[in-house]
Amino acid sequence: MIDIKLIRENPQKFKDAAKAKGFDVDIDRLLEVDSGLRTAKKQLQDISTEKNQIGKSIPKLDGVEKAAKLNRLLELKEIEILINANIKTLQPEFDELVLFVPQPADDDVPFGKDDTQNVEIRREGKVRQFDFEPKDHVQLGLALGIIDIERGVKLAGTRNYFLKGDGALLHWAVLRFAMDFMVDKGYVPFSVPVLMKDETMTGTGFFPGSEDQTYRMEKDQLNLSGTAEVPLTAYHMGEILNAEELPLKYVALSSCFRREAGAAGKDTYGLYRIHQFDKIEQVVICKNSVEESNKFHAEILANAEAVMQALELPYRVANVCTGDLGRGQAKKFDIEAWMPSRNNYCETHSASKLYDFQARRMNLRYKDPATKKNVFCHTLNNTVIASPRILIPILELYQNADGSITVPKVLRPYMNSVGNRITKK
């Protein structure tokens, strides 16, 4: 959520931000409602002052003067009722409109309409050149008996799957390695709930806007979270933290659920765009400082890159353009792994910097020791690893001519007695 004072000072900035990000926001109406509320609240203050003055004067009056003052009190009460009715109408409209106002992108974010206009920053690792005809991850998985999409679809519908045997072990090995890596980095590990209240989804910026992408439990008024960013970031919702506690660095492994509404016919093959997956997410809650946010943005990106480098997967980093940013994101870096079957670098991680956008919505603050005032925190988040999407480059890039899969070195300690290769049983 954006501080309304900033919108009042420079409405054009937020109109431009909405246009650049592709959001439809009525800034003029928001300011009109805001003005009406401010006027109404000022009127209530003035009435309260006058009522207090009358109340103090009445004991000293009698006769006509006293009667006039009592009549004036009745008039003021009637005016109060009308003003409060006006506020009751305007406040919900204000509360709704302000939630739609997007965070302006940082100055160094490229302007663009969608992900095709994201700007590559650098490439890391060497793309493998095969001396045989490589198979895609589905062909490999079926031949090895480690992926079963047909039965996943039969039991749960499209974009569902089974991982079994060594496929399940590889999936868990990736997650366990990444979690151990982050714990060694000093991040506090969490096991989190995945059913979230609407309040939590709104606080983290997913509502309004992502309802269509969310599995909603209408009967229980709960939502299946699409990322552990939601429970981790909202863990301290409504609290006032001590400045000495910051930064808070958290990491969680959770199952994630996404409806993929609007993606009909897109990426339907294999494990790339699915309804349920497991992801390790890192979240940082830090002081209200652009410098601090920039520092931790670089840190969480570096953490994810280190995991990719440990897996020896080629990837590139992209600066995400304005049209591909979410409502609350001031800047985002995507990591895209090379996937041979797609003949392209494809997104596997997103590192987001949100300043105080989420904290304002969640009322998450800390007490500044210098000013003794409560200040909104800054929040950041990034994928550490998400599986089974990351299995696509692992299976495809580590395949051998005989159809077996070489297990990445860092994952071998997590693969029980599988050994160095996954072969058909």
Short mmCIF file of all heavy atoms in Angstrom, two decimals, residues 34-88:
data_model
loop_
_atom_site.label_atom_id
_atom_site.label_comp_id
_atom_site.label_asym_id
_atom_site.label_seq_id
_atom_site.Cartn_x
_atom_site.Cartn_y
_atom_site.Cartn_z
N ASP A 34 -10.47 10.90 -0.88
CA ASP A 34 -9.56 11.31 0.20
C ASP A 34 -9.87 12.72 0.68
O ASP A 34 -9.93 12.98 1.89
CB ASP A 34 -8.12 11.22 -0.28
CG ASP A 34 -7.13 11.77 0.73
OD1 ASP A 34 -7.12 11.28 1.87
OD2 ASP A 34 -6.36 12.67 0.37
N SER A 35 -10.10 13.62 -0.27
CA SER A 35 -10.44 15.00 0.09
C SER A 35 -11.75 15.06 0.86
O SER A 35 -11.86 15.80 1.85
CB SER A 35 -10.52 15.85 -1.18
OG SER A 35 -10.90 17.18 -0.88
N GLY A 36 -12.73 14.29 0.40
CA GLY A 36 -14.02 14.25 1.11
C GLY A 36 -13.88 13.74 2.52
O GLY A 36 -14.49 14.27 3.46
N LEU A 37 -13.05 12.73 2.71
CA LEU A 37 -12.83 12.18 4.05
C LEU A 37 -12.12 13.18 4.95
O LEU A 37 -12.49 13.36 6.13
CB LEU A 37 -12.00 10.90 3.96
CG LEU A 37 -12.72 9.61 3.62
CD1 LEU A 37 -11.73 8.48 3.39
CD2 LEU A 37 -13.70 9.23 4.72
N ARG A 38 -11.11 13.83 4.41
CA ARG A 38 -10.36 14.80 5.21
C ARG A 38 -11.26 15.95 5.63
O ARG A 38 -11.21 16.42 6.79
CB ARG A 38 -9.17 15.33 4.41
CG ARG A 38 -8.13 14.26 4.11
CD ARG A 38 -7.11 14.74 3.10
NE ARG A 38 -6.19 15.71 3.66
CZ ARG A 38 -5.38 16.47 2.95
NH1 ARG A 38 -5.42 16.41 1.62
NH2 ARG A 38 -4.54 17.31 3.53
N THR A 39 -12.09 16.42 4.70
CA THR A 39 -13.03 17.50 5.03
C THR A 39 -14.01 17.06 6.11
O THR A 39 -14.26 17.80 7.08
CB THR A 39 -13.80 17.93 3.77
OG1 THR A 39 -12.87 18.42 2.79
CG2 THR A 39 -14.81 19.01 4.09
N ALA A 40 -14.55 15.85 5.94
CA ALA A 40 -15.54 15.35 6.91
C ALA A 40 -14.91 15.18 8.29
O ALA A 40 -15.52 15.54 9.31
CB ALA A 40 -16.10 14.02 6.42
N LYS A 41 -13.69 14.66 8.34
CA LYS A 41 -13.04 14.45 9.64
C LYS A 41 -12.67 15.77 10.30
O LYS A 41 -12.74 15.91 11.53
CB LYS A 41 -11.79 13.57 9.45
CG LYS A 41 -12.15 12.14 9.10
CD LYS A 41 -10.92 11.29 8.77
CE LYS A 41 -11.31 9.87 8.40
NZ LYS A 41 -10.17 9.02 8.04
N LYS A 42 -12.33 16.77 9.47
CA LYS A 42 -12.05 18.10 10.01
C LYS A 42 -13.33 18.70 10.58
O LYS A 42 -13.31 19.35 11.65
CB LYS A 42 -11.50 19.01 8.89
CG LYS A 42 -11.24 20.46 9.32
CD LYS A 42 -10.17 20.54 10.40
CE LYS A 42 -9.67 21.96 10.61
NZ LYS A 42 -10.71 22.92 10.95
N GLN A 43 -14.43 18.49 9.89
CA GLN A 43 -15.72 18.99 10.38
C GLN A 43 -16.07 18.35 11.72
O GLN A 43 -16.58 19.03 12.63
CB GLN A 43 -16.82 18.70 9.35
CG GLN A 43 -16.72 19.54 8.09
CD GLN A 43 -17.69 19.09 7.01
OE1 GLN A 43 -18.09 17.92 6.96
NE2 GLN A 43 -18.08 20.02 6.14
N LEU A 44 -15.80 17.07 11.86
CA LEU A 44 -16.08 16.39 13.13
C LEU A 44 -15.21 16.96 14.25
O LEU A 44 -15.69 17.12 15.40
CB LEU A 44 -15.84 14.89 13.00
CG LEU A 44 -16.87 14.08 12.22
CD1 LEU A 44 -16.47 12.61 12.19
CD2 LEU A 44 -18.27 14.22 12.82
N GLN A 45 -13.96 17.27 13.94
CA GLN A 45 -13.08 17.87 14.94
C GLN A 45 -13.61 19.24 15.37
O GLN A 45 -13.62 19.56 16.57
CB GLN A 45 -11.67 18.00 14.37
CG GLN A 45 -10.94 16.69 14.22
CD GLN A 45 -9.56 16.87 13.59
OE1 GLN A 45 -9.25 17.92 13.04
NE2 GLN A 45 -8.74 15.84 13.66
N ASP A 46 -14.03 20.01 14.39
CA ASP A 46 -14.56 21.35 14.69
C ASP A 46 -15.82 21.25 15.55
O ASP A 46 -16.01 22.04 16.49
CB ASP A 46 -14.86 22.11 13.40
CG ASP A 46 -13.60 22.46 12.62
OD1 ASP A 46 -12.50 22.43 13.22
OD2 ASP A 46 -13.72 22.76 11.41
N ILE A 47 -16.69 20.30 15.22
CA ILE A 47 -17.92 20.10 15.99
C ILE A 47 -17.59 19.68 17.41
O ILE A 47 -18.19 20.16 18.38
CB ILE A 47 -18.82 19.06 15.30
CG1 ILE A 47 -19.44 19.66 14.03
CG2 ILE A 47 -19.93 18.59 16.25
CD1 ILE A 47 -20.20 18.66 13.19
N SER A 48 -16.62 18.79 17.55
CA SER A 48 -16.23 18.33 18.88
C SER A 48 -15.71 19.49 19.71
O SER A 48 -16.03 19.61 20.91
CB SER A 48 -15.15 17.25 18.75
OG SER A 48 -14.73 16.81 20.01
N THR A 49 -14.91 20.36 19.07
CA THR A 49 -14.39 21.53 19.79
C THR A 49 -15.52 22.44 20.24
O THR A 49 -15.54 22.91 21.39
CB THR A 49 -13.43 22.31 18.87
OG1 THR A 49 -12.34 21.46 18.51
CG2 THR A 49 -12.90 23.55 19.58
N GLU A 50 -16.46 22.68 19.32
CA GLU A 50 -17.59 23.57 19.66
C GLU A 50 -18.45 22.96 20.75
O GLU A 50 -18.91 23.65 21.67
CB GLU A 50 -18.43 23.84 18.41
CG GLU A 50 -19.54 24.87 18.67
CD GLU A 50 -20.34 25.21 17.42
OE1 GLU A 50 -19.95 24.79 16.30
OE2 GLU A 50 -21.36 25.91 17.56
N LYS A 51 -18.68 21.65 20.69
CA LYS A 51 -19.50 20.98 21.72
C LYS A 51 -18.83 21.09 23.09
O LYS A 51 -19.52 21.30 24.11
CB LYS A 51 -19.71 19.52 21.35
CG LYS A 51 -20.73 19.30 20.22
CD LYS A 51 -20.72 17.88 19.71
CE LYS A 51 -21.13 16.89 20.74
NZ LYS A 51 -21.14 15.49 20.19
N ASN A 52 -17.51 20.96 23.13
CA ASN A 52 -16.80 21.08 24.40
C ASN A 52 -16.93 22.49 24.97
O ASN A 52 -17.11 22.67 26.18
CB ASN A 52 -15.32 20.73 24.21
CG ASN A 52 -15.11 19.24 24.02
OD1 ASN A 52 -15.93 18.43 24.44
ND2 ASN A 52 -14.01 18.88 23.37
N GLN A 53 -16.81 23.46 24.07
CA GLN A 53 -16.95 24.85 24.51
C GLN A 53 -18.35 25.12 25.05
O GLN A 53 -18.51 25.78 26.09
CB GLN A 53 -16.64 25.79 23.34
CG GLN A 53 -15.17 25.77 22.91
CD GLN A 53 -14.92 26.57 21.65
OE1 GLN A 53 -15.86 26.91 20.91
NE2 GLN A 53 -13.65 26.85 21.36
N ILE A 54 -19.36 24.61 24.35
CA ILE A 54 -20.74 24.80 24.80
C ILE A 54 -20.96 24.11 26.14
O ILE A 54 -21.60 24.66 27.05
CB ILE A 54 -21.74 24.27 23.74
CG1 ILE A 54 -21.71 25.16 22.50
CG2 ILE A 54 -23.16 24.21 24.31
CD1 ILE A 54 -22.53 24.62 21.34
N GLY A 55 -20.41 22.89 26.24
CA GLY A 55 -20.58 22.14 27.49
C GLY A 55 -20.00 22.87 28.69
O GLY A 55 -20.57 22.82 29.78
N LYS A 56 -18.87 23.56 28.48
CA LYS A 56 -18.26 24.31 29.58
C LYS A 56 -19.05 25.57 29.91
O LYS A 56 -19.04 26.04 31.06
CB LYS A 56 -16.83 24.68 29.21
CG LYS A 56 -15.89 23.49 29.14
CD LYS A 56 -14.50 23.91 28.70
CE LYS A 56 -13.56 22.71 28.59
NZ LYS A 56 -12.21 23.11 28.13
N SER A 57 -19.72 26.14 28.91
CA SER A 57 -20.42 27.42 29.13
C SER A 57 -21.81 27.26 29.71
O SER A 57 -22.31 28.16 30.39
CB SER A 57 -20.52 28.19 27.80
OG SER A 57 -21.39 27.53 26.90
N ILE A 58 -22.47 26.13 29.46
CA ILE A 58 -23.87 25.94 29.87
C ILE A 58 -24.10 26.15 31.37
O ILE A 58 -25.07 26.80 31.78
CB ILE A 58 -24.39 24.58 29.39
CG1 ILE A 58 -24.69 24.63 27.88
CG2 ILE A 58 -25.64 24.16 30.16
CD1 ILE A 58 -25.16 23.32 27.29
N PRO A 59 -23.22 25.60 32.25
CA PRO A 59 -23.48 25.80 33.69
C PRO A 59 -23.50 27.27 34.11
O PRO A 59 -24.08 27.61 35.16
CB PRO A 59 -22.30 25.06 34.35
CG PRO A 59 -21.88 24.05 33.34
CD PRO A 59 -22.08 24.72 32.02
N LYS A 60 -22.89 28.13 33.30
CA LYS A 60 -22.84 29.55 33.66
C LYS A 60 -24.00 30.33 33.06
O LYS A 60 -24.12 31.54 33.29
CB LYS A 60 -21.52 30.15 33.15
CG LYS A 60 -20.28 29.43 33.68
CD LYS A 60 -19.02 29.98 33.03
CE LYS A 60 -17.79 29.20 33.47
NZ LYS A 60 -16.56 29.68 32.79
N LEU A 61 -24.84 29.67 32.28
CA LEU A 61 -25.93 30.35 31.59
C LEU A 61 -27.28 29.97 32.16
O LEU A 61 -27.43 28.96 32.84
CB LEU A 61 -25.89 30.00 30.09
CG LEU A 61 -24.59 30.30 29.32
CD1 LEU A 61 -24.68 29.76 27.91
CD2 LEU A 61 -24.33 31.81 29.30
N ASP A 62 -28.27 30.78 31.81
CA ASP A 62 -29.65 30.44 32.15
C ASP A 62 -30.60 31.11 31.15
O ASP A 62 -30.17 31.88 30.29
CB ASP A 62 -29.99 30.89 33.58
CG ASP A 62 -29.69 32.36 33.83
OD1 ASP A 62 -29.67 33.14 32.85
OD2 ASP A 62 -29.47 32.73 34.98
N GLY A 63 -31.83 30.75 31.24
CA GLY A 63 -32.83 31.38 30.40
C GLY A 63 -32.64 31.13 28.92
O GLY A 63 -32.33 30.02 28.47
N VAL A 64 -32.83 32.24 28.16
CA VAL A 64 -32.79 32.17 26.69
C VAL A 64 -31.43 31.71 26.18
O VAL A 64 -31.33 30.91 25.25
CB VAL A 64 -33.14 33.55 26.08
CG1 VAL A 64 -33.00 33.53 24.57
CG2 VAL A 64 -34.55 33.95 26.47
N GLU A 65 -30.35 32.22 26.78
CA GLU A 65 -29.00 31.86 26.32
C GLU A 65 -28.74 30.37 26.49
O GLU A 65 -28.17 29.71 25.61
CB GLU A 65 -27.96 32.66 27.10
CG GLU A 65 -27.88 34.12 26.70
CD GLU A 65 -26.77 34.84 27.44
OE1 GLU A 65 -26.62 34.62 28.66
OE2 GLU A 65 -26.03 35.58 26.79
N LYS A 66 -29.15 29.83 27.62
CA LYS A 66 -28.95 28.41 27.88
C LYS A 66 -29.75 27.56 26.90
O LYS A 66 -29.24 26.56 26.35
CB LYS A 66 -29.35 28.08 29.31
CG LYS A 66 -29.08 26.64 29.71
CD LYS A 66 -29.35 26.41 31.19
CE LYS A 66 -28.99 25.00 31.61
NZ LYS A 66 -29.21 24.78 33.06
N ALA A 67 -30.98 27.98 26.63
CA ALA A 67 -31.83 27.25 25.70
C ALA A 67 -31.23 27.27 24.29
O ALA A 67 -31.25 26.26 23.57
CB ALA A 67 -33.23 27.86 25.67
N ALA A 68 -30.66 28.42 23.92
CA ALA A 68 -30.05 28.54 22.58
C ALA A 68 -28.86 27.59 22.45
O ALA A 68 -28.66 26.95 21.40
CB ALA A 68 -29.61 29.98 22.34
N LYS A 69 -28.06 27.53 23.52
CA LYS A 69 -26.90 26.64 23.48
C LYS A 69 -27.33 25.17 23.41
O LYS A 69 -26.72 24.36 22.71
CB LYS A 69 -26.02 26.87 24.72
CG LYS A 69 -25.34 28.22 24.76
CD LYS A 69 -24.31 28.36 23.66
CE LYS A 69 -23.54 29.66 23.76
NZ LYS A 69 -22.55 29.81 22.67
N LEU A 70 -28.37 24.83 24.15
CA LEU A 70 -28.86 23.45 24.11
C LEU A 70 -29.40 23.10 22.73
O LEU A 70 -29.20 21.98 22.23
CB LEU A 70 -29.95 23.25 25.17
CG LEU A 70 -29.46 23.27 26.63
CD1 LEU A 70 -30.63 23.25 27.60
CD2 LEU A 70 -28.53 22.07 26.89
N ASN A 71 -30.07 24.05 22.10
CA ASN A 71 -30.57 23.83 20.74
C ASN A 71 -29.40 23.65 19.76
O ASN A 71 -29.46 22.84 18.83
CB ASN A 71 -31.44 25.00 20.29
CG ASN A 71 -32.82 24.98 20.93
OD1 ASN A 71 -33.30 23.91 21.31
ND2 ASN A 71 -33.44 26.14 21.07
N ARG A 72 -28.34 24.44 19.99
CA ARG A 72 -27.18 24.31 19.13
C ARG A 72 -26.53 22.94 19.27
O ARG A 72 -26.08 22.34 18.29
CB ARG A 72 -26.15 25.41 19.48
CG ARG A 72 -24.86 25.35 18.66
CD ARG A 72 -25.11 25.43 17.18
NE ARG A 72 -23.86 25.40 16.42
CZ ARG A 72 -23.77 25.16 15.12
NH1 ARG A 72 -24.89 24.92 14.43
NH2 ARG A 72 -22.61 25.18 14.51
N LEU A 73 -26.52 22.40 20.50
CA LEU A 73 -25.99 21.05 20.71
C LEU A 73 -26.79 20.02 19.92
O LEU A 73 -26.23 19.09 19.32
CB LEU A 73 -26.01 20.69 22.19
CG LEU A 73 -24.89 21.25 23.07
CD1 LEU A 73 -25.11 20.85 24.52
CD2 LEU A 73 -23.52 20.76 22.59
N LEU A 74 -28.11 20.18 19.91
CA LEU A 74 -28.95 19.27 19.14
C LEU A 74 -28.65 19.37 17.65
O LEU A 74 -28.60 18.36 16.94
CB LEU A 74 -30.44 19.57 19.40
CG LEU A 74 -30.95 19.25 20.81
CD1 LEU A 74 -32.40 19.73 20.98
CD2 LEU A 74 -30.87 17.75 21.08
N GLU A 75 -28.45 20.61 17.16
CA GLU A 75 -28.10 20.82 15.75
C GLU A 75 -26.78 20.13 15.41
O GLU A 75 -26.65 19.47 14.37
CB GLU A 75 -27.99 22.31 15.44
CG GLU A 75 -29.30 23.06 15.45
CD GLU A 75 -29.10 24.55 15.23
OE1 GLU A 75 -27.94 24.95 14.96
OE2 GLU A 75 -30.08 25.30 15.32
N LEU A 76 -25.80 20.29 16.30
CA LEU A 76 -24.50 19.71 16.07
C LEU A 76 -24.56 18.18 16.04
O LEU A 76 -23.88 17.53 15.23
CB LEU A 76 -23.50 20.16 17.14
CG LEU A 76 -23.11 21.65 17.10
CD1 LEU A 76 -22.24 22.00 18.30
CD2 LEU A 76 -22.37 21.98 15.80
N LYS A 77 -25.37 17.60 16.89
CA LYS A 77 -25.53 16.14 16.91
C LYS A 77 -26.13 15.65 15.59
O LYS A 77 -25.74 14.61 15.06
CB LYS A 77 -26.38 15.71 18.09
CG LYS A 77 -25.68 15.84 19.43
CD LYS A 77 -26.57 15.40 20.58
CE LYS A 77 -25.85 15.56 21.92
NZ LYS A 77 -26.72 15.16 23.06
N GLU A 78 -27.09 16.40 15.06
CA GLU A 78 -27.71 16.03 13.79
C GLU A 78 -26.71 16.14 12.64
O GLU A 78 -26.67 15.30 11.73
CB GLU A 78 -28.93 16.91 13.53
CG GLU A 78 -30.10 16.63 14.46
CD GLU A 78 -31.27 17.58 14.25
OE1 GLU A 78 -31.12 18.50 13.41
OE2 GLU A 78 -32.30 17.41 14.91
N ILE A 79 -25.90 17.19 12.70
CA ILE A 79 -24.86 17.36 11.66
C ILE A 79 -23.84 16.23 11.76
O ILE A 79 -23.38 15.69 10.74
CB ILE A 79 -24.17 18.73 11.81
CG1 ILE A 79 -25.17 19.86 11.55
CG2 ILE A 79 -22.98 18.85 10.86
CD1 ILE A 79 -24.64 21.24 11.88
N GLU A 80 -23.49 15.86 12.99
CA GLU A 80 -22.55 14.74 13.21
C GLU A 80 -23.06 13.45 12.58
O GLU A 80 -22.29 12.72 11.96
CB GLU A 80 -22.36 14.51 14.71
CG GLU A 80 -21.24 15.29 15.34
CD GLU A 80 -21.04 14.92 16.80
OE1 GLU A 80 -22.04 14.72 17.51
OE2 GLU A 80 -19.89 14.82 17.22
N ILE A 81 -24.34 13.21 12.74
CA ILE A 81 -24.92 11.98 12.16
C ILE A 81 -24.76 11.97 10.65
O ILE A 81 -24.38 10.95 10.06
CB ILE A 81 -26.41 11.87 12.55
CG1 ILE A 81 -26.55 11.62 14.06
CG2 ILE A 81 -27.10 10.77 11.75
CD1 ILE A 81 -27.97 11.70 14.58
N LEU A 82 -25.00 13.11 10.02
CA LEU A 82 -24.87 13.21 8.56
C LEU A 82 -23.42 13.04 8.12
O LEU A 82 -23.13 12.34 7.13
CB LEU A 82 -25.42 14.55 8.08
CG LEU A 82 -26.94 14.78 8.26
CD1 LEU A 82 -27.30 16.21 7.86
CD2 LEU A 82 -27.72 13.77 7.42
N ILE A 83 -22.51 13.67 8.85
CA ILE A 83 -21.09 13.57 8.50
C ILE A 83 -20.59 12.15 8.68
O ILE A 83 -19.86 11.61 7.82
CB ILE A 83 -20.25 14.55 9.35
CG1 ILE A 83 -20.62 16.00 9.01
CG2 ILE A 83 -18.76 14.32 9.11
CD1 ILE A 83 -19.97 17.02 9.93
N ASN A 84 -20.98 11.50 9.78
CA ASN A 84 -20.55 10.12 10.01
C ASN A 84 -21.11 9.18 8.95
O ASN A 84 -20.45 8.22 8.54
CB ASN A 84 -20.97 9.66 11.40
CG ASN A 84 -20.03 10.15 12.49
OD1 ASN A 84 -18.81 10.06 12.33
ND2 ASN A 84 -20.57 10.66 13.58
N ALA A 85 -22.32 9.46 8.49
CA ALA A 85 -22.91 8.65 7.42
C ALA A 85 -22.10 8.82 6.13
O ALA A 85 -21.87 7.86 5.39
CB ALA A 85 -24.36 9.05 7.18
N ASN A 86 -21.64 10.06 5.89
CA ASN A 86 -20.81 10.33 4.72
C ASN A 86 -19.48 9.59 4.81
O ASN A 86 -19.02 8.98 3.84
CB ASN A 86 -20.58 11.84 4.60
CG ASN A 86 -19.89 12.21 3.31
OD1 ASN A 86 -20.09 11.58 2.28
ND2 ASN A 86 -19.07 13.25 3.35
N ILE A 87 -18.87 9.63 6.00
CA ILE A 87 -17.61 8.92 6.22
C ILE A 87 -17.80 7.41 6.04
O ILE A 87 -16.95 6.73 5.44
CB ILE A 87 -17.05 9.23 7.62
CG1 ILE A 87 -16.58 10.68 7.69
CG2 ILE A 87 -15.91 8.28 7.98
CD1 ILE A 87 -16.13 11.13 9.06
N LYS A 88 -18.92 6.91 6.53
CA LYS A 88 -19.21 5.48 6.42
C LYS A 88 -19.31 5.04 4.97
O LYS A 88 -19.01 3.89 4.63
CB LYS A 88 -20.51 5.16 7.17
CG LYS A 88 -20.77 3.68 7.36
CD LYS A 88 -21.99 3.45 8.22
CE LYS A 88 -22.23 1.96 8.42
NZ LYS A 88 -23.43 1.69 9.28
#
